[in-house]
Amino acid sequence: GEDVEQSLFLSVREGDSSVINCTYTDSSSTYLYWYKQEPGAGLQLLTYIFSNMDMKQDQRLTVLLNKKDKHLSLRIADTQTGDSAIYFCAETLTGGGNKLTFGTGTQLKVEL
Amino acid sequence: KAGVTQTPRYLIKTRGQQVTLSCSPISGHRSVSWYQQTPGQGLQFLFEYFSETQRNKGNFPGRFSGRQFSNSRSEMNVSTLELGDSALYLCASSSQGWGDTDTQYFGPGTRLTVL
């Protein structure tokens, strides 16, 4: 079945790197995504990775995918106060079309 | 290009009433999906429409329904509202449809409060 888990909370200092982790159970993932949600707002697509890739880098963001362990991570370099938000990982599955299964979300707090 | 728009942004209803929410996708996008976000259950998939046809449906009761028009705009309806229907309802659009997976872009959501 579909189950996507994330740690609930992460606190980092401004300028440090943040690493947000996600584990999933279904091995038929096609794409895996990271979304950001600020208070009172919708979801902003940050980046995504195809399931046959190991890594993707996009400016300050690095996504690592370990298919064997079903583990996905998002690294944010030089974290800024504007990065404070809730981060969701999500997956689409083979045969599932555009249906996204979301993780529980990780609240990132960036302190000065 | 304008993003995904949702109307209204905020809505207050009472138990037993019905409500209709609207979503206009990004121009050229033909797939529209709906999600419910609550503190307890997180983000859950409601349904997806492509070319006026429902392609996929989540595990929600029949009180939740939707439709898509020929211009790709979509509406969702919730009948006989319950307190537990209070949530942020998010709409997402993408350009691909049948058999393909494509990145989805979300609107700001409609915050529904049921009293």
Side-chain angles (χ1 to χ4, degrees):
Chain A
E2 309 156 8
D3 197 15
V4 183
E5 296 288 335
Q6 297 178 241
S7 52
L8 287 178
F9 191 76
L10 176 66
S11 179
V12 299
R13 289 192 181 274
E14 189 178 43
D16 288 349
S17 291
S18 309
V19 179
I20 302 171
N21 295 301
C22 172
T23 57
Y24 57 97
T25 57
D26 201 310
S27 57
S28 66
S29 299
T30 52
Y31 287 89
L32 294 119
Y33 304 81
W34 284 102
Y35 283 89
K36 174 184 179 183
Q37 187 176 38
E38 296 182 82
L43 298 171
Q44 175 192 352
L45 176 65
L46 291 176
T47 186
Y48 63 96
I49 188 168
F50 188 48
S51 59
N52 69 355
M53 295 171 63
D54 298 323
M55 187 185 91
K56 180 179 180 181
Q57 187 149 3
D58 187 358
Q59 298 183 342
R60 291 193 299 126
L61 305 178
T62 302
V63 179
L64 295 177
L65 175 60
N66 181 327
K67 280 202 81 170
K68 176 175 168 290
D69 295 337
K70 298 188 179 68
H71 183 264
L72 179 75
S73 68
L74 173 70
R75 178 177 180 269
I76 306 173
D78 188 25
T79 313
Q80 302 296 307
T81 54
D83 294 323
S84 293
I86 300 176
Y87 290 79
F88 293 93
C89 63
E91 63 176 353
T92 49
L93 303 176
T94 303
N98 283 326
K99 175 186 173 184
L100 285 163
T101 300
F102 284 91
T104 46
T106 298
Q107 170 109 43
L108 174 65
K109 183 178 178 183
V110 182
E111 297 174 322
L112 295 172
Chain B
K1 255 186 193 178
V4 179
T5 57
Q6 293 187 245
T7 55
R9 292 292 313 277
Y10 302 91
L11 208 46
I12 300 175
K13 293 285 188 179
T14 55
R15 278 181 298 175
Q17 287 186 309
Q18 75 164 19
V19 67
T20 299
L21 312 182
S22 180
C23 171
S24 293
I26 291 170
S27 177
H29 283 192
R30 295 167 66 191
S31 169
V32 174
S33 299
W34 289 89
Y35 293 82
Q36 182 197 63
Q37 185 178 25
T38 59
Q41 299 298 316
L43 282 152
Q44 293 188 289
F45 173 78
L46 280 155
F47 25 65
E48 179 195 1
Y49 287 87
F50 180 80
S51 291
E52 303 177 65
T53 301
Q54 187 181 85
R55 171 156 87 139
N56 209 343
K57 190 176 187 305
N59 296 323
F60 279 82
R63 300 186 297 106
F64 292 81
S65 63
R67 59 178 176 168
Q68 187 180 33
F69 302 95
S70 58
N71 62 357
S72 294
R73 189 177 71 86
S74 177
E75 289 181 348
M76 67 163 281
N77 184 77
V78 188
S79 62
T80 319
L81 283 165
E82 300 177 0
L83 294 179
D85 298 332
S86 295
L88 180 67
Y89 290 87
L90 293 161
C91 164
S93 80
S94 68
S95 60
Q96 297 294 341
W98 299 103
D100 292 319
T101 301
D102 192 21
T103 51
Q104 295 181 69
Y105 299 90
F106 282 79
T110 294
R111 172 74 63 186
L112 172 64
T113 302
V114 181
L115 302 175

mmCIF file of all heavy atoms in Angstrom, chain B residues 37-59:
data_model
loop_
_atom_site.group_PDB
_atom_site.id
_atom_site.type_symbol
_atom_site.label_atom_id
_atom_site.label_comp_id
_atom_site.label_asym_id
_atom_site.label_seq_id
_atom_site.Cartn_x
_atom_site.Cartn_y
_atom_site.Cartn_z
ATOM 1 N N GLN B 37 -6.924 19.019 2.691
ATOM 2 C CA GLN B 37 -5.867 19.084 3.693
ATOM 3 C C GLN B 37 -6.461 19.404 5.059
ATOM 4 O O GLN B 37 -7.112 20.439 5.232
ATOM 5 C CB GLN B 37 -4.811 20.144 3.332
ATOM 6 C CG GLN B 37 -3.627 20.154 4.285
ATOM 7 C CD GLN B 37 -2.555 21.145 3.916
ATOM 8 O OE1 GLN B 37 -2.816 22.149 3.249
ATOM 9 N NE2 GLN B 37 -1.311 20.870 4.317
ATOM 10 N N THR B 38 -6.240 18.511 6.013
ATOM 11 C CA THR B 38 -6.683 18.719 7.393
ATOM 12 C C THR B 38 -5.517 18.428 8.323
ATOM 13 O O THR B 38 -4.613 17.666 7.966
ATOM 14 C CB THR B 38 -7.847 17.789 7.775
ATOM 15 O OG1 THR B 38 -7.416 16.423 7.617
ATOM 16 C CG2 THR B 38 -9.072 18.028 6.913
ATOM 17 N N PRO B 39 -5.538 19.021 9.523
ATOM 18 C CA PRO B 39 -4.444 18.753 10.471
ATOM 19 C C PRO B 39 -4.355 17.268 10.847
ATOM 20 O O PRO B 39 -3.263 16.745 11.029
ATOM 21 C CB PRO B 39 -4.812 19.606 11.684
ATOM 22 C CG PRO B 39 -5.677 20.687 11.137
ATOM 23 C CD PRO B 39 -6.449 20.061 10.014
ATOM 24 N N GLY B 40 -5.475 16.597 10.915
ATOM 25 C CA GLY B 40 -5.463 15.212 11.355
ATOM 26 C C GLY B 40 -5.096 14.216 10.284
ATOM 27 O O GLY B 40 -4.347 13.271 10.519
ATOM 28 N N GLN B 41 -5.595 14.407 9.086
ATOM 29 C CA GLN B 41 -5.401 13.441 7.997
ATOM 30 C C GLN B 41 -4.365 13.880 6.971
ATOM 31 O O GLN B 41 -4.003 13.104 6.087
ATOM 32 C CB GLN B 41 -6.737 13.185 7.279
ATOM 33 C CG GLN B 41 -7.812 12.609 8.175
ATOM 34 C CD GLN B 41 -7.417 11.267 8.730
ATOM 35 O OE1 GLN B 41 -6.901 10.415 8.014
ATOM 36 N NE2 GLN B 41 -7.641 11.069 10.021
ATOM 37 N N GLY B 42 -3.893 15.103 7.071
ATOM 38 C CA GLY B 42 -2.906 15.576 6.116
ATOM 39 C C GLY B 42 -3.527 15.850 4.753
ATOM 40 O O GLY B 42 -4.692 16.221 4.654
ATOM 41 N N LEU B 43 -2.741 15.635 3.709
ATOM 42 C CA LEU B 43 -3.186 15.890 2.335
ATOM 43 C C LEU B 43 -3.696 14.600 1.730
ATOM 44 O O LEU B 43 -2.965 13.622 1.616
ATOM 45 C CB LEU B 43 -2.011 16.414 1.505
ATOM 46 C CG LEU B 43 -1.666 17.869 1.705
ATOM 47 C CD1 LEU B 43 -0.207 18.125 1.428
ATOM 48 C CD2 LEU B 43 -2.532 18.729 0.772
ATOM 49 N N GLN B 44 -4.962 14.626 1.325
ATOM 50 C CA GLN B 44 -5.563 13.431 0.755
ATOM 51 C C GLN B 44 -6.179 13.736 -0.606
ATOM 52 O O GLN B 44 -6.846 14.752 -0.782
ATOM 53 C CB GLN B 44 -6.641 12.890 1.700
ATOM 54 C CG GLN B 44 -6.088 12.363 3.011
ATOM 55 C CD GLN B 44 -7.166 11.675 3.817
ATOM 56 O OE1 GLN B 44 -8.060 12.320 4.351
ATOM 57 N NE2 GLN B 44 -7.094 10.360 3.890
ATOM 58 N N PHE B 45 -5.976 12.818 -1.522
ATOM 59 C CA PHE B 45 -6.463 12.943 -2.893
ATOM 60 C C PHE B 45 -7.967 12.701 -2.946
ATOM 61 O O PHE B 45 -8.467 11.717 -2.394
ATOM 62 C CB PHE B 45 -5.731 11.915 -3.752
ATOM 63 C CG PHE B 45 -6.229 11.789 -5.160
ATOM 64 C CD1 PHE B 45 -5.892 12.724 -6.124
ATOM 65 C CD2 PHE B 45 -7.020 10.708 -5.522
ATOM 66 C CE1 PHE B 45 -6.336 12.588 -7.427
ATOM 67 C CE2 PHE B 45 -7.468 10.561 -6.818
ATOM 68 C CZ PHE B 45 -7.118 11.506 -7.776
ATOM 69 N N LEU B 46 -8.665 13.618 -3.609
ATOM 70 C CA LEU B 46 -10.113 13.474 -3.780
ATOM 71 C C LEU B 46 -10.445 12.852 -5.132
ATOM 72 O O LEU B 46 -11.061 11.802 -5.218
ATOM 73 C CB LEU B 46 -10.797 14.838 -3.656
ATOM 74 C CG LEU B 46 -11.017 15.338 -2.230
ATOM 75 C CD1 LEU B 46 -11.118 16.851 -2.199
ATOM 76 C CD2 LEU B 46 -12.276 14.707 -1.641
ATOM 77 N N PHE B 47 -10.088 13.539 -6.212
ATOM 78 C CA PHE B 47 -10.318 13.028 -7.560
ATOM 79 C C PHE B 47 -9.528 13.834 -8.572
ATOM 80 O O PHE B 47 -9.024 14.917 -8.280
ATOM 81 C CB PHE B 47 -11.810 13.019 -7.971
ATOM 82 C CG PHE B 47 -12.692 14.012 -7.268
ATOM 83 C CD1 PHE B 47 -12.518 15.371 -7.442
ATOM 84 C CD2 PHE B 47 -13.708 13.569 -6.434
ATOM 85 C CE1 PHE B 47 -13.329 16.278 -6.803
ATOM 86 C CE2 PHE B 47 -14.532 14.470 -5.783
ATOM 87 C CZ PHE B 47 -14.342 15.827 -5.961
ATOM 88 N N GLU B 48 -9.433 13.254 -9.784
ATOM 89 C CA GLU B 48 -8.753 13.905 -10.904
ATOM 90 C C GLU B 48 -9.652 13.884 -12.120
ATOM 91 O O GLU B 48 -10.313 12.866 -12.401
ATOM 92 C CB GLU B 48 -7.435 13.203 -11.242
ATOM 93 C CG GLU B 48 -6.708 13.848 -12.420
ATOM 94 C CD GLU B 48 -5.612 12.982 -13.005
ATOM 95 O OE1 GLU B 48 -5.403 11.859 -12.521
ATOM 96 O OE2 GLU B 48 -4.980 13.433 -13.979
ATOM 97 N N TYR B 49 -9.651 14.977 -12.847
ATOM 98 C CA TYR B 49 -10.404 15.070 -14.088
ATOM 99 C C TYR B 49 -9.479 15.411 -15.238
ATOM 100 O O TYR B 49 -8.512 16.164 -15.081
ATOM 101 C CB TYR B 49 -11.494 16.149 -13.981
ATOM 102 C CG TYR B 49 -12.643 15.723 -13.119
ATOM 103 C CD1 TYR B 49 -12.605 15.920 -11.738
ATOM 104 C CD2 TYR B 49 -13.745 15.079 -13.664
ATOM 105 C CE1 TYR B 49 -13.642 15.486 -10.941
ATOM 106 C CE2 TYR B 49 -14.789 14.649 -12.875
ATOM 107 C CZ TYR B 49 -14.729 14.860 -11.506
ATOM 108 O OH TYR B 49 -15.747 14.425 -10.717
ATOM 109 N N PHE B 50 -9.790 14.822 -16.371
ATOM 110 C CA PHE B 50 -9.073 15.129 -17.615
ATOM 111 C C PHE B 50 -10.081 15.081 -18.746
ATOM 112 O O PHE B 50 -10.804 14.095 -18.888
ATOM 113 C CB PHE B 50 -7.947 14.126 -17.859
ATOM 114 C CG PHE B 50 -7.172 14.380 -19.107
ATOM 115 C CD1 PHE B 50 -6.182 15.343 -19.138
ATOM 116 C CD2 PHE B 50 -7.434 13.662 -20.260
ATOM 117 C CE1 PHE B 50 -5.457 15.587 -20.300
ATOM 118 C CE2 PHE B 50 -6.726 13.892 -21.423
ATOM 119 C CZ PHE B 50 -5.738 14.862 -21.442
ATOM 120 N N SER B 51 -10.098 16.137 -19.539
ATOM 121 C CA SER B 51 -11.046 16.223 -20.661
ATOM 122 C C SER B 51 -12.456 15.856 -20.233
ATOM 123 O O SER B 51 -13.131 15.027 -20.856
ATOM 124 C CB SER B 51 -10.600 15.306 -21.815
ATOM 125 O OG SER B 51 -9.432 15.798 -22.402
ATOM 126 N N GLU B 52 -12.887 16.457 -19.150
ATOM 127 C CA GLU B 52 -14.260 16.356 -18.647
ATOM 128 C C GLU B 52 -14.609 14.982 -18.086
ATOM 129 O O GLU B 52 -15.776 14.725 -17.773
ATOM 130 C CB GLU B 52 -15.275 16.749 -19.732
ATOM 131 C CG GLU B 52 -15.058 18.152 -20.281
ATOM 132 C CD GLU B 52 -16.024 18.502 -21.401
ATOM 133 O OE1 GLU B 52 -17.236 18.574 -21.137
ATOM 134 O OE2 GLU B 52 -15.555 18.675 -22.555
ATOM 135 N N THR B 53 -13.611 14.107 -17.939
ATOM 136 C CA THR B 53 -13.867 12.758 -17.446
ATOM 137 C C THR B 53 -13.106 12.544 -16.142
ATOM 138 O O THR B 53 -11.928 12.910 -16.040
ATOM 139 C CB THR B 53 -13.429 11.707 -18.489
ATOM 140 O OG1 THR B 53 -14.146 11.930 -19.695
ATOM 141 C CG2 THR B 53 -13.699 10.290 -17.981
ATOM 142 N N GLN B 54 -13.778 11.917 -15.184
ATOM 143 C CA GLN B 54 -13.079 11.602 -13.940
ATOM 144 C C GLN B 54 -12.166 10.409 -14.188
ATOM 145 O O GLN B 54 -12.625 9.321 -14.537
ATOM 146 C CB GLN B 54 -14.079 11.264 -12.833
ATOM 147 C CG GLN B 54 -13.412 11.092 -11.469
ATOM 148 C CD GLN B 54 -14.422 10.730 -10.383
ATOM 149 O OE1 GLN B 54 -14.760 9.562 -10.188
ATOM 150 N NE2 GLN B 54 -14.910 11.736 -9.684
ATOM 151 N N ARG B 55 -10.858 10.618 -13.936
ATOM 152 C CA ARG B 55 -9.899 9.557 -14.245
ATOM 153 C C ARG B 55 -9.560 8.734 -13.017
ATOM 154 O O ARG B 55 -9.220 7.576 -13.128
ATOM 155 C CB ARG B 55 -8.622 10.155 -14.807
ATOM 156 C CG ARG B 55 -7.521 9.103 -14.940
ATOM 157 C CD ARG B 55 -6.565 9.521 -15.957
ATOM 158 N NE ARG B 55 -5.542 10.378 -15.383
ATOM 159 C CZ ARG B 55 -4.263 10.276 -15.705
ATOM 160 N NH1 ARG B 55 -3.870 9.337 -16.518
ATOM 161 N NH2 ARG B 55 -3.397 11.116 -15.232
ATOM 162 N N ASN B 56 -9.624 9.361 -11.851
ATOM 163 C CA ASN B 56 -9.158 8.691 -10.653
ATOM 164 C C ASN B 56 -9.949 9.252 -9.473
ATOM 165 O O ASN B 56 -10.345 10.423 -9.489
ATOM 166 C CB ASN B 56 -7.657 8.970 -10.462
ATOM 167 C CG ASN B 56 -6.944 7.861 -9.733
ATOM 168 O OD1 ASN B 56 -7.562 7.024 -9.086
ATOM 169 N ND2 ASN B 56 -5.631 7.857 -9.828
ATOM 170 N N LYS B 57 -10.161 8.430 -8.471
ATOM 171 C CA LYS B 57 -10.971 8.873 -7.351
ATOM 172 C C LYS B 57 -10.351 8.354 -6.059
ATOM 173 O O LYS B 57 -9.915 7.198 -5.995
ATOM 174 C CB LYS B 57 -12.396 8.336 -7.490
ATOM 175 C CG LYS B 57 -13.386 8.919 -6.510
ATOM 176 C CD LYS B 57 -14.794 8.391 -6.805
ATOM 177 C CE LYS B 57 -15.858 9.077 -5.960
ATOM 178 N NZ LYS B 57 -15.613 9.006 -4.512
ATOM 179 N N GLY B 58 -10.313 9.178 -5.031
ATOM 180 C CA GLY B 58 -9.807 8.770 -3.732
ATOM 181 C C GLY B 58 -10.900 8.144 -2.889
ATOM 182 O O GLY B 58 -12.017 7.904 -3.351
ATOM 183 N N ASN B 59 -10.575 7.889 -1.629
ATOM 184 C CA ASN B 59 -11.500 7.208 -0.725
ATOM 185 C C ASN B 59 -12.331 8.186 0.080
ATOM 186 O O ASN B 59 -12.167 8.321 1.295
ATOM 187 C CB ASN B 59 -10.719 6.286 0.219
ATOM 188 C CG ASN B 59 -10.029 5.173 -0.524
ATOM 189 O OD1 ASN B 59 -10.568 4.644 -1.488
ATOM 190 N ND2 ASN B 59 -8.830 4.831 -0.084
#
